Amino acid sequence: MAISGEEVARSEMRRIGILRNLLQLRHIREVNVLVALLIMGAIISAFTPYFLTVDNLMGVSRAFSLTAIMSIGMVMVIITGGIDLSVGSAMGLAGLVTALCFDAGYSQSICVAAGICVGLMFGLANGLLITVIGLPPFIATLGTLSIGRGFMYMITHGVPVTPKTPDSFSMLGQGYIGPVPVPVVILLVLTVVFSLIMVRTRFGRHIYATGGNEHAARLSGVKTNRVKLAVYVLSSTISSLAGVIAFSRYLSAEPASGFGSELDVIAAAAIGGASLAGGIGSVTGAVIGAALVGEISNGIVLLNINTYAQQAITGGVILIAVSLDVLRNRLKGGNV
Amino acid sequence: MTPFLEMHGISKTFPGVKALNRVDLTLRAGEVHVIAGENGAGKSTLMKIMTGVLRADPGGVIRIEGKDTVIKDPVHARALGISIIYQELAVVNNLTVAENVFLAREPIGPLGLLDKRRMADETRAVLSELEVAIDPSAKVGQLSIGQRQLVEIARAISYRSKLIIMDEPTASLSHHEASTLIRMVRKLASQGIGIVFISHKLDEIFEIADRVSVLRDGETVDSRPIAEMTRDILVRKMVDRDLSQLFGEHHSHATDEVLLSVRALGEKHHGQIGVKVSDVSFDLHRGEILGFFGLVGAGRTEVMEMIFGSRPHVGEVHIGGQKVKISNPSEAIAHGLGFVTEDRKELGLVLGMSVRENFSLTHLSDYCTLDVVSRPRETAACMEFVRSLGIKTPSTEQKVLNLSGGNQQKVVIAKWVARRPRILIVDEPTRGIDIGAKAEVHALLNKLAEEGISIIVVSSDLPEILAISDRVIVLKEGRISGQIDRADATQERVMLAATG
């Protein structure tokens, strides 16, 4: 009986499609962004032959990879119904600490670990302020954003830190595996791993449940505070990894590194279909969202459009993407 | 005299579903017209057509005071004299009573400022006409649910409505508040206002109705004056089955073994607003169904929240002879407790998630290997429960948001039963669900008791408590005011303990 039930369930799932399931493409929103990404690509390549070349596509991917990596952590936070404004500071400070450790002559692994630890600290601070004290996520992470940024200026006095680093370290940001830049490989690995976590594990389910209805989730036995603490730690840690990669790429830790990047990261998640009310969104969507923004800025450069227009265009894309979603839902008569 | 509103051959088709099929309905001024029917019978769709939220399919006719009319939208409906009071009240809690009554049509004084005095005066006039003592300047959030409903009625009257539709208005009211409301409704009818009253409660229907229409599967299956209606006919028309077939006989499965023992349970923080639960002690036996009755505000839900660890408390809880310390829901669940909460939308379900995801949320680890969920196992278990509880849903992937109230309630029960708790607390298990689903829920609770699960049923529905419980505990103002065995439990004794 139980076996036949499972078989029925399996065939039901086959119908839905395993690939679609894995990519979370059963949600119409992710499909929309993916389609937008492809159409935009077609439009750009209609105007310029340089867009659809391996070199250019790899360059574009490397350019948006850091935002995309950070959006993986951000989207998890957003799905719990929270927000993490401190990712830019976590990224910048992590790069700086890594640079300072190299400057002090520590070994490569210690330097990287120190950078990642910065993220852990940010995440713990955010998570504890939110779960133990009960601060709203917006306020808690706004505070840590400022503190982080302040530390960076205090430490550097506004001067970049440029230590000597081994060649093996610069592989992280500058190297290639085959034709693919290392940061893009890291992005792909993280996307697959965290998609699986979100779709297939208990932890992922608890993240969605916490954002969907925190009260009901708690009464069902979900340890919602632990879930929230975990996503903030993950978000900051992933951002600090992005910071280490950024430092490895430029080998200079700028005091303004990561400044304002939280907005790009939130935009990527929102374009990718995450609802700031919580409960809805996906890792794949956020990464595709980041890719779409990256593609547009590349197109602007290739098509010789005024680069100052880029921010305005990105803003327009966010508004159009989310509006289409809302309108489509309203037409269906469903709730937004 | 021409009826106020006539509907002829009204149909409504949604993709894949015919929600209404050629419904006829005649609503007269001064008449209380009860519309009865199970969840999903089409009552809400019909209300939405009357209030202009939905348009009927072409082919039907709506006449208002004899004239063919197309009700364009809710604003138009209101201009035609049709108001509705939804189950989920549409009042703004941090505005005052007067501000709510005049919401979106505030009177403006000479300087373009709000004419607050006029708002207060007119509100006071309407409220005194209704003979209710509510201060127009009170914030609505400070009023009880029953009073908030009266504010909505006052608003409907101040629109000079000729037809007021009330969607299960007594579902969340205490006994006392409900009888106040029923008096009010009779009074409005006597003033010539037509009332459409939707209700699942048989007693109430016979108390209030002039005429009853029954919807089943989107069709009008009966419509007659209340004098020509009996309970048996009404139930048979609604569910297409006999009353006696619906509710089986009661068999106790209680054993002598005490499973849960609560001693001197009380509020942790003194001086907290609201009910003060204190000195609550009782035992629950294996396989027993223990009814918890009390008026609204007696502290029933609070006691359950304390036992379940979602409310700070003092006192001792023993489970299976062991003293346990439960300070949050996950600890309670680990000790074998389950809690079917009263408010399924706020507390019971994650509305945006599927039936499957809601179902498994309490016991997801059962389907996990190293934290990875086996979707086939999860889906299979969920399908099993969908079948055995008769949950009406197109698939396990349907969002619970799209299910009817009765089916949502079954999902909440399923998610706890699937965990195989030792002790199951169910708070208002049948509120707002139809009589057929109610009978199914009762049968299910009996079956669980037979399997040795101990059940606490909290309900403000006295007939329900008496029908299902092996023993009844009555709470009054946060304390136990009576423990009555099934053999001695009569409506009068229980009510006396709750109020006396």
Side-chain angles (χ1 to χ4, degrees), chain B residues 218-268:
Chain B
E219 300 186 23
T220 334
V221 290
D222 197 22
S223 180
R224 58 173 100 186
I226 193 74
E228 296 167 18
M229 182 62 90
T230 67
R231 272 165 193 268
D232 288 342
I233 298 177
L234 181 56
V235 171
R236 204 175 320 122
K237 292 283 179 189
M238 276 162 62
V239 299
D240 216 9
R241 267 173 297 176
D242 280 328
L243 194 54
S244 56
Q245 282 175 293
L246 274 176
F247 295 95
E249 275 179 45
H250 181 88
H251 299 286
S252 174
H253 305 290
T255 61
D256 288 336
E257 183 190 345
V258 173
L259 188 56
L260 171 77
S261 156
V262 172
R263 290 291 171 267
L265 200 68
E267 213 81 45
K268 187 165 197 176

Side-chain angles (χ1 to χ4, degrees), chain B residues 448-469:
Chain B
L448 295 175
E450 192 179 344
E451 288 166 11
I453 296 174
S454 307
I455 300 173
I456 299 178
V457 177
V458 176
S459 177
S460 47
D461 183 349
L462 188 47
E464 168 167 284
I465 286 279
L466 295 178
I468 199 171
S469 313

Side-chain angles (χ1 to χ4, degrees), chain A residues 304-318:
Chain A
N304 273 326
I305 302 171
N306 184 348
T307 45
Y308 293 121
Q310 188 192 325
Q311 278 211 311
I313 293 175
T314 311
V317 170
I318 299 176

Side-chain angles (χ1 to χ4, degrees), chain A residues 1 5-6 8-10 13 21 199-203 205 208-209 212-213 215-216 218-223, chain B residues 308 329 333 345-347 349-350 353 356 360 362 364 371-373 375-380 383 415-416:
Chain A
M1 187 70 205
E6 263 182 52
V8 175
R10 275 217 174 86
M13 283 169 57
N21 228 317
V199 186
R200 297 294 297 275
T201 68
R202 199 154 61 116
F203 176 57
R205 188 73 62 77
Y208 280 104
N213 185 343
H215 223 115
R218 208 173 84 82
L219 286 173
S220 300
V222 176
K223 295 177 176 107
Chain B
F308 201 65
I333 292 166
K345 287 187 178 154
E346 291 287 323
L347 307 176
L349 295 167
V350 184
M353 280 187 155
R356 168 180 55 82
S360 61
T362 52
L364 198 52
D371 227 41
V372 175
V373 184
R375 187 72 72 76
R377 269 159 66 198
E378 187 192 8
T379 310
M383 284 165 87
K415 78 178 205 183
W416 287 109

Side-chain angles (χ1 to χ4, degrees), chain B residues 288-293 462 465-466 469-475 480-498:
Chain B
E288 183 181 34
I289 301 185
L290 179 61
F292 253 78
F293 183 78
L462 188 47
I465 286 279
L466 295 178
S469 313
D470 298 324
R471 192 157 55 99
V472 181
I473 289 184
V474 184
L475 276 183
I480 290 181
S481 61
Q483 298 214 28
I484 308 169
D485 280 333
R486 180 176 182 85
D488 310 321
T490 59
Q491 297 233 10
E492 292 71 26
R493 271 196 70 173
V494 174
M495 210 44 168
L496 189 68

Side-chain angles (χ1 to χ4, degrees), chain B residues 166-231:
Chain B
M166 299 187 184
D167 187 6
E168 288 189 54
T170 57
S172 46
L173 297 190
S174 68
H175 194 73
H176 176 73
E177 285 178 317
S179 50
T180 310
L181 181 84
I182 285 171
R183 264 206 315 282
M184 184 87 50
V185 168
R186 294 289 350 164
K187 186 164 177 223
L188 293 173
S190 72
Q191 293 168 356
I193 294 176
I195 307 280
V196 173
F197 197 94
I198 297 178
S199 178
H200 287 308
K201 299 183 184 168
L202 293 181
D203 289 331
E204 186 174 280
I205 293 176
F206 283 93
E207 195 177 342
I208 201 168
D210 293 315
R211 175 173 276 277
V212 189
S213 294
V214 182
L215 285 185
R216 191 175 70 225
D217 301 330
E219 300 186 23
T220 334
V221 290
D222 197 22
S223 180
R224 58 173 100 186
I226 193 74
E228 296 167 18
M229 182 62 90
T230 67
R231 272 165 193 268

Side-chain angles (χ1 to χ4, degrees), chain A residues 164-335:
Chain A
K164 275 199 77 67
T165 55
D167 286 349
S168 56
F169 175 72
S170 51
M171 264 296 286
L172 192 61
Q174 300 172 17
Y176 286 84
I177 296 177
V180 189
V182 173
V184 178
V185 174
I186 295 174
L187 167 64
L188 291 175
V189 170
L190 289 177
T191 306
V192 170
V193 168
F194 281 96
S195 279
L196 285 173
I197 288 177
M198 291 303 279
V199 186
R200 297 294 297 275
T201 68
R202 199 154 61 116
F203 176 57
R205 188 73 62 77
H206 286 181
I207 291 177
Y208 280 104
T210 301
N213 185 343
E214 185 174 347
H215 223 115
R218 208 173 84 82
L219 286 173
S220 300
V222 176
K223 295 177 176 107
T224 51
N225 273 348
R226 216 178 277 181
V227 170
K228 289 200 270 183
L229 182 63
V231 293
Y232 285 97
V233 168
L234 280 173
S235 171
S236 299
T237 308
I238 291 171
S239 300
S240 64
L241 174 64
V244 175
I245 297 172
F247 170 65
S248 149
R249 171 115 189 263
Y250 305 108
L251 296 179
S252 161
E254 309 282 333
S257 162
F259 186 81
S261 62
E262 61 280 352
L263 296 181
D264 298 334
V265 175
I266 294 168
I271 292 173
S275 159
L276 290 179
I280 298 171
S282 71
V283 167
T284 336
V287 171
I288 302 174
L292 181 61
V293 174
E295 185 185 49
I296 291 170
S297 19
N298 180 240
I300 288 168
V301 174
L302 290 178
L303 301 182
N304 273 326
I305 302 171
N306 184 348
T307 45
Y308 293 121
Q310 188 192 325
Q311 278 211 311
I313 293 175
T314 311
V317 170
I318 299 176
L319 297 184
I320 293 169
V322 182
S323 300
L324 284 179
D325 243 17
V326 170
L327 291 177
R328 177 194 281 269
N329 269 314
R330 194 178 302 159
L331 280 182
K332 273 197 320 197
N335 293 36

